[in-house]
Amino acid sequence: MLAALVVPAAATAHGEPRGEEPPRARAAGVPASCPGDPIAADQVITGEFAAELQGGYALLPFDVAAGTTAVRVKYCYDQPETPAGQVDKHTLDLGLYQPRADPGRPWGPGEFRGWGGSSHPDVTVSPEGFSSEAQYRADPKAHVPGKTTRAFLPGPIAPGQWAVELGLANIVPRSGGDLDGKVAYRVEIELNDDPAFADEPYQPAPYDSAPANPNPGWYAGDFHVHGEHSALGDAPLTEVFDYAFGSLDEGKAGLDFVTLSDYVSGSSWGEIGRYQPRHPGKLIVRSAEVITYRGHANSHANTTQVDYRHGPLYERRPDGSVIVVRPARPAADSLERILAGGGFTQINHPTIFPSPPFPPGQCRGCEWDYGDTETDYAKVDAIEIATGPAQLQIIGRPGPNPFTVTAIEFWEDALADGHKIAAVGSSDSHNAGRTPNPITQAPIGTATTMVFADELSEEGIQRGVEAGHTYVKVTGNDAPDLRFEARVPGSERAPAIMGDTLHANSVQFTARVLGAAPGRRGAAEPDPFELLVIKDGKPMSAAPVTDDDFSLRFPATGPGRYRLQLQRSTTIDAVSSPIYVERATADGDASDDRGGAPGRRDSGDSGGPAKRPRTGTSSGASGGRGATAAPARAAASSGGGSLPFTGAVLAPLVVLGLALVAAGVVLRRRSNR
């Protein structure tokens, strides 16, 4: 049943209370009409939301008659009036839901028809599919009559009560520069019954789930890639896959796989099959970025819709007030739904652009702001420790991306709590190989994640990540490679690798760095590489890399987690997931836990048999350079995900606030534990 808690309708800008008149006639600041392509609106909904509702989702019901073949929605909203409000702006996100089977419960995933964030001001859903790539390239935001807008789901138009969802992503309060601390909105709805809008029903392309490569080996991938089904204007899928799978020699990413993690909806899943024949031997993992207002996560290899709405759900009443129909939910709910759907989970850019010191609207929800109890790290398979630019060249000598440093510490904190979580790195690219803003954007493959998988398939990559068989090439796929093994003296078993657990009182490690000889990369990289051994989050030893196939052998110094980190001065080039050493069993016998089997890995238990035989170099995988260096990619040092900052704004904030960012993120997380 719907909750009966009523939130009063917002007062007008002048402060007098409203009567029963719907707010569309009274709300100051509501645009007279929404800009863009003209619309013949059948229904208009206007009103205001106060800053106190920020973080929630308002469902605005409207009726659709039988025989309707297309529903079109436009929306717009005002902005703060003062100069201070131009730094932090209102943001409302747009979603759409079809009729509920049970009017006594909120609209949910079963009725979901799409979500476009704030990048979709004009959307259509119909039985027909999407506009052509040529139409999209010509004008990504243009209204194409009768065609479903990317990020929304084609399908029949059921009669009944639908709902526009306005996500209350950021509402600037009075203290932030808005004179009344409210956002005024306008929603315009057009219902069309043209039979031509339903005469070519959408046909999704079958997804080929056969392994792209049946051999075990190290595979190079990017775990966070966007295309045209995220923000309108993002790279077309042709450009995305051509760049991702093009060779390093061609100045492209040279990857074996990507996860296509478009926003929320999964509207791109039915399109992937059209591109697979163009890229034989390559893998496109079906994925979606679950965007909440307190953190983002990826739902990998799961094709069920995951509810992204963790804030309270409100439903608008005819008098303009809203009622709470569902309270806020913890992040663990969505993570559990991903796992229940057969997928695996990833926390994205956990420490990026935190607020404070950055304005809350600049990268809303990008930082992982959920405490440990809300998250339940037992449900987390991977943490994105590197997102986008590997380093910042702002003043003088390049420095590390500060958010990589803090993300590694975030990950280490989770490991310290006893969770065995794989490290992954990603580009968060929205523009394939282009970087319109090189300070905040990176091409696909920066960062690259290497995964040891038993085959190149969705299931194989999932097994590899769940087993922790990963390392991150922070500076991109042309960075040096790592190999890390551990043996129990006298054991005849194959060595443990990254992600494995050994129960033994004596363990010998072998670390290798491939392709990092001094001077190999010329004058552009004058600093020598140094290999750090990290135990339990703290440096244990460091050694200069002296040749192109460098080996370092060392013993364990007791139980703990051991990992590798490759650096040049302050630049972090590569980070491995740990090998875990735990005490031998009570009878003194050594044993080990090996990942790679189907199913989730609980702490200290792989849940399956030993991995297939492996060698220290790639076996059957083209990703990564193995013992042979690949030519450097010209774009490798370009810069991060699609973040709404200009260089002029970012540079002084990073230079002046780096210490605050690094300390504040970690301290805030620890205070929430």
Side-chain angles (χ1 to χ4, degrees):
M1 296 296 292
L2 299 181
L5 176 61
V6 177
V7 180
T12 68
H14 300 288
E16 73 270 23
R18 292 197 184 93
E20 294 299 311
E21 178 71 13
R24 62 171 174 265
R26 305 291 302 278
V30 174
S33 63
C34 292
D37 294 336
I39 183 172
D42 296 288
Q43 301 177 47
V44 175
I45 305 172
T46 66
E48 295 172 333
F49 297 115
E52 293 75 28
L53 300 183
Q54 179 175 313
Y57 302 82
L59 293 154
L60 284 51
F62 67 96
D63 293 325
V64 173
T68 300
T69 56
V71 175
R72 181 183 175 193
V73 176
K74 290 181 66 176
Y75 83 118
C76 49
Y77 46 93
D78 70 352
Q79 290 296 345
E81 304 87 346
T82 68
Q86 300 310 303
V87 176
D88 192 17
K89 297 186 176 184
H90 299 313
T91 303
L92 300 181
D93 294 326
L94 180 67
L96 188 62
Y97 288 78
Q98 66 186 18
R100 297 169 285 190
D102 179 4
R105 61 170 179 78
W107 279 274
E111 295 84 45
F112 178 76
R113 289 300 295 263
W115 185 92
S118 59
S119 73
H120 286 58
D122 185 348
V123 306
T124 298
V125 293
S126 78
E128 300 198 349
F130 314 107
S131 64
S132 69
E133 182 175 311
Q135 291 172 312
Y136 177 79
R137 287 180 180 272
D139 187 349
K141 294 190 177 183
H143 168 61
V144 180
K147 295 298 184 183
T148 298
T149 306
R150 288 162 173 80
F152 288 74
L153 303 180
I157 304 301
Q161 190 177 63
W162 288 54
V164 169
E165 178 187 271
L166 295 181
L168 312 181
N170 195 58
I171 304 175
V172 179
R174 288 188 177 92
S175 60
D178 190 86
L179 294 180
D180 63 358
K182 304 183 186 74
V183 58
Y185 67 88
R186 178 182 178 89
V187 175
E188 301 171 344
I189 302 165
E190 177 183 336
L191 307 178
N192 203 300
D193 59 3
D194 189 337
F197 293 170
D199 62 358
E200 296 179 344
Y202 177 66
Q203 296 295 327
Y207 179 82
D208 184 357
S209 59
N213 188 326
N215 298 309
W218 286 103
Y219 291 100
D222 188 329
F223 275 96
H224 189 169
V225 172
H226 293 275
E228 62 194 66
H229 288 258
S230 287
L232 291 178
D234 285 357
L237 293 182
T238 297
E239 182 183 358
V240 169
F241 302 138
D242 284 353
Y243 184 85
F245 300 136
S247 71
L248 288 166
D249 290 338
E250 299 172 320
K252 298 182 179 180
L255 301 178
D256 297 302
F257 72 91
V258 296
T259 67
L260 185 61
S261 305
D262 282 323
Y263 295 159
V264 172
S265 73
S267 62
S268 63
W269 296 338
E271 296 295 292
I272 291 173
R274 307 188 203 284
Y275 299 87
Q276 288 177 299
R278 183 183 175 97
H279 302 284
K282 305 295 184 178
L283 172 66
I284 304 166
V285 176
R286 293 166 292 182
S287 180
E289 186 170 20
V290 182
I291 295 178
T292 84
Y293 296 146
R294 294 178 58 199
H296 299 180
N298 275 353
S299 171
H300 293 311
N302 169 37
T303 55
T304 60
Q305 215 283 319
V306 175
D307 197 343
Y308 52 92
R309 303 168 303 173
H310 287 190
L313 298 189
Y314 305 103
E315 186 172 325
R316 184 183 185 274
R317 304 198 306 179
D319 66 357
S321 64
V322 293
I323 60 172
V324 178
V325 295
R326 193 185 75 188
R329 302 182 303 122
D333 283 10
S334 288
L335 299 177
E336 178 60 37
R337 290 173 186 269
I338 295 168
L339 300 177
F344 63 106
T345 61
Q346 171 182 317
I347 291 177
N348 295 340
H349 40 66
T351 61
I352 206 165
F353 292 119
S355 175
F358 295 93
Q362 293 291 354
C363 196
R364 62 191 185 280
C366 293
E367 176 196 12
W368 192 260
D369 194 38
Y370 296 101
D372 288 10
T373 300
E374 294 175 288
T375 301
D376 186 358
Y377 282 88
K379 296 180 170 64
V380 177
D381 292 307
I383 291 176
E384 192 176 85
I385 65 164
T387 309
Q391 55 190 12
L392 300 176
Q393 300 190 43
I394 296 173
I395 294 178
R397 189 177 183 85
N401 184 328
F403 305 123
T404 298
V405 176
T406 53
I408 290 173
E409 184 152 4
F410 178 99
W411 171 60
E412 283 280 8
D413 278 351
L415 300 181
D417 286 342
H419 304 288
K420 295 180 178 179
I421 299 172
V424 298
S426 311
S427 64
D428 196 2
S429 170
H430 289 244
N431 298 292
R434 295 175 283 115
T435 54
N437 184 346
I439 290 180
T440 62
Q441 297 174 350
I444 293 172
T446 305
T448 290
T449 302
M450 303 298 299
V451 180
F452 188 89
D454 53 31
E455 64 183 22
L456 184 59
S457 66
E458 285 189 329
E459 294 82 2
I461 294 299
Q462 178 169 350
R463 289 190 290 268
V465 170
E466 290 175 341
H469 296 167
T470 68
Y471 67 92
V472 178
K473 299 164 80 167
V474 178
T475 52
N477 193 23
D478 60 344
D481 283 290
L482 300 179
R483 298 292 183 263
F484 192 31
E485 297 181 344
R487 292 178 180 271
V488 176
S491 173
E492 296 183 357
R493 292 202 63 181
I497 65 169
M498 304 161 194
D500 290 340
T501 300
L502 292 176
H503 298 271
N505 296 324
S506 177
V507 172
Q508 291 289 327
F509 292 101
T510 301
R512 293 174 65 198
V513 181
L514 307 173
R520 182 182 187 113
R521 296 173 176 237
E525 294 182 358
D527 294 318
F529 287 95
E530 185 177 41
L531 181 64
L532 279 66
V533 177
I534 309 292
K535 179 186 178 184
D536 295 336
K538 298 178 181 179
M540 172 178 156
S541 64
V545 177
T546 56
D547 57 54
D548 216 37
D549 188 348
F550 174 78
S551 293
L552 177 69
R553 293 176 174 81
F554 60 95
T557 59
R561 61 184 188 277
Y562 296 79
R563 67 173 178 85
L564 305 179
Q565 187 160 306
L566 185 67
Q567 294 192 192
R568 285 169 294 137
S569 183
T570 59
T571 298
I572 300 172
D573 280 88
V575 175
S576 79
S577 289
I579 295 176
Y580 302 87
V581 176
E582 299 177 0
R583 295 190 184 279
T585 57
D587 59 8
D589 291 337
S591 63
D592 55 18
D593 297 326
R594 304 299 180 92
R600 281 186 53 75
R601 181 196 69 254
D602 295 325
S603 294
D605 184 4
S606 69
K611 295 180 292 296
R612 299 183 187 182
R614 57 187 174 273
T615 62
T617 57
S618 177
S619 174
S622 62
R625 294 171 297 103
T628 304
R633 186 176 73 237
S637 62
S638 300
S642 179
L643 301 170
F645 262 105
T646 65
V649 174
L650 179 63
L653 285 171
V654 171
V655 173
L656 297 176
L658 178 56
L660 175 61
V661 170
V665 168
V666 174
L667 289 174
R668 183 159 64 251
R669 180 184 184 273
R670 288 175 176 169
S671 70
N672 290 333
R673 291 173 63 183

